[in-house]
Amino acid sequence: MMNSRSKALIVGLGSIGRKHYEALKNLGFEVAVLSKSVQNFQGRLYRSFEELDLEEFDLFIIANITSLHLQTLKFIDARVRGKSILIEKPLFERHYDFTPSGENRLFVAYLLRFHPVVGHLKALIENEEVYFASFECDSYLPSWRGGDYRKSYSAKRKLGGGVLLDLSHELDLALFLCGGGRLDFGEAVKISELELESDDFAFLALRSGAKGWERRLHIRVNYFSKFERRVVIIHTKKHSFKADLRAQSLEIYSPSGAEKLSFQGDTMQNLQALHRAILNEDKNLCTLEEGQRLLKICDEVRGLK
């Protein structure tokens, strides 16, 4: 059983890897890093797997380039037993028929599942009949990480970049909150002035149910918006909900009136909640199977076989 004094290994120390490092240290983990490229790091650092005894660690976080996730996961999963392995989103750059060893607990790091607004919204709609929901994120890639965005993996499709995968949080929320559905329409294209080799706009329309009652879900994300927004809108027979994940607010509307709830938190607190969920084997964690299902939808949008 893992606890907050357990040992963790982070593979890759880019922007999200550093956030995982800080979150785990805040929770009391002993954390080591495996990275071939990081410089001026003051913690426990390894350059290759050959330097490590993998059995020493209780938790592994795969946070390297998306196109390396599969080989890294295969390597670790085949060599340890009874461990927890967290793969940063997206799981892979496309769907693969990966069969795990069955000896470890595998999860995908869809962090917004642990956003306080999302948690409250999920509880509110649990017993309601959702017939339409939209999940939208407007973002500006050049402001994400600092440095030249054109050299980032996000700008390069072959490395797993592109807004469809990079902002697949929205698709995951659609699956997590509403169950998903079959793909009616989808596109992932390059339409803006940004200098990219990957898609910067994606739109998906999903549908579930049968004739007489259907649920429709829309997902829209982009890299090029000069304003930033992340909003979930859900309509049921009794209520309409507007969740603003940046403003950390939830508006609840009914025929008789409206109310607005405010929440507090930040990315670091959400990350710590994610890691506590792994400690507690929380049912809200994204499973390997759910991560694979999401990739199948993304592959269908991109026309991949």
Side-chain angles (χ1 to χ4, degrees):
M1 173 67 70
M2 208 167 48
N3 58 62
S4 60
R5 292 182 296 278
S6 297
K7 295 183 178 181
L9 176 70
I10 300 174
V11 182
L13 202 67
S15 59
I16 190 61
R18 291 181 182 275
K19 291 174 182 175
H20 279 291
Y21 183 87
E22 184 178 347
L24 288 167
K25 294 291 283 186
N26 289 344
L27 290 174
F29 277 74
E30 183 178 328
V31 188
V33 169
L34 172 62
S35 173
K36 294 180 180 179
S37 59
V38 68
Q39 302 294 326
N40 302 317
F41 178 71
Q42 300 301 316
R44 186 178 166 193
L45 177 65
Y46 297 93
R47 296 299 187 186
S48 70
F49 278 113
E50 287 69 27
E51 301 174 28
L52 289 161
D53 175 9
L54 294 180
E55 285 295 339
E56 174 187 353
F57 300 96
D58 307 288
L59 170 64
F60 297 89
I61 299 178
I62 298 174
N64 49 5
I65 293 174
T66 303
S67 57
L68 297 178
H69 283 186
L70 179 60
Q71 70 181 67
T72 307
L73 176 58
K74 283 183 174 179
F75 184 90
I76 295 172
D77 186 51
R79 288 165 174 79
V80 297
R81 300 180 63 180
K83 309 294 185 177
S84 295
I85 304 174
L86 178 69
I87 308 99
E88 249 307 321
K89 64 82 194 164
L91 175 60
F92 308 130
E93 77 277 13
R94 60 170 300 166
H95 178 267
Y96 293 104
D97 290 325
F98 167 69
T99 301
S101 68
E103 300 293 342
N104 301 295
R105 298 171 293 278
L106 276 55
F107 308 105
V108 186
Y110 278 104
L111 179 61
L112 291 184
R113 293 186 177 209
F114 299 93
H115 193 293
V117 174
V118 171
H120 199 80
L121 177 60
K122 183 174 176 60
L124 288 175
I125 66 171
E126 187 172 359
N127 297 314
E128 297 215 25
E129 194 172 284
V130 176
Y131 52 78
F132 177 78
S134 67
F135 303 81
E136 300 186 358
C137 184
D138 296 288
S139 188
Y140 192 55
L141 178 62
S143 68
W144 277 21
R145 306 179 181 100
D148 189 343
Y149 75 91
R150 295 168 295 184
K151 297 179 181 178
S152 71
Y153 86 88
S154 296
K156 304 179 188 301
R157 180 169 177 169
K158 65 182 180 181
L159 297 181
V163 76
L164 178 64
L165 292 179
D166 234 350
L167 293 180
S168 56
H169 284 292
E170 271 57 42
L171 178 53
D172 177 68
L173 286 181
L175 302 178
F176 178 59
L177 292 173
C178 301
R182 62 188 179 277
L183 184 69
D184 261 359
F185 174 82
E187 63 175 349
V189 293
K190 163 74 170 68
I191 65 173
S192 81
E193 75 285 356
L194 296 181
E195 297 177 46
L196 308 170
E197 300 169 11
S198 60
D199 49 280
D200 59 12
F201 173 83
F203 175 78
L204 292 76
L206 304 177
R207 187 193 311 192
S208 63
K211 190 173 182 179
W213 180 85
E214 290 185 322
R215 172 185 293 146
R216 297 173 185 264
L217 308 176
H218 288 178
I219 298 99
R220 183 190 59 75
V221 294
N222 70 69
Y223 272 156
F224 50 73
S225 177
K226 283 67 176 179
F227 64 86
E228 296 196 344
R229 188 178 72 132
R230 189 163 237 158
V231 174
V232 176
I233 294 174
I234 294 179
H235 297 285
T236 75
K237 290 183 175 181
K238 296 179 180 179
H239 297 95
S240 292
F241 303 90
K242 181 182 178 182
D244 188 325
L245 303 190
R246 290 186 62 82
Q248 306 210 61
S249 65
L250 177 60
E251 298 172 26
I252 306 167
Y253 298 88
S254 71
S256 60
E259 64 174 315
K260 183 175 182 178
L261 306 177
S262 297
F263 299 81
Q264 291 186 340
D266 55 28
T267 299
M268 189 55 55
Q269 290 174 331
N270 296 343
L271 266 176
Q272 290 175 194
L274 168 65
H275 289 299
R276 281 193 293 267
I278 296 174
L279 289 172
N280 298 323
E281 299 184 23
D282 192 299
K283 65 179 181 180
N284 288 323
L285 288 159
C286 180
T287 65
L288 178 72
E289 293 74 21
E290 290 171 328
Q292 290 278 44
R293 179 189 178 196
L294 182 148
L295 287 177
K296 284 183 178 180
I297 296 173
C298 291
D299 284 0
E300 189 177 353
V301 171
R302 297 183 294 171
L304 301 178
K305 301 295 185 181

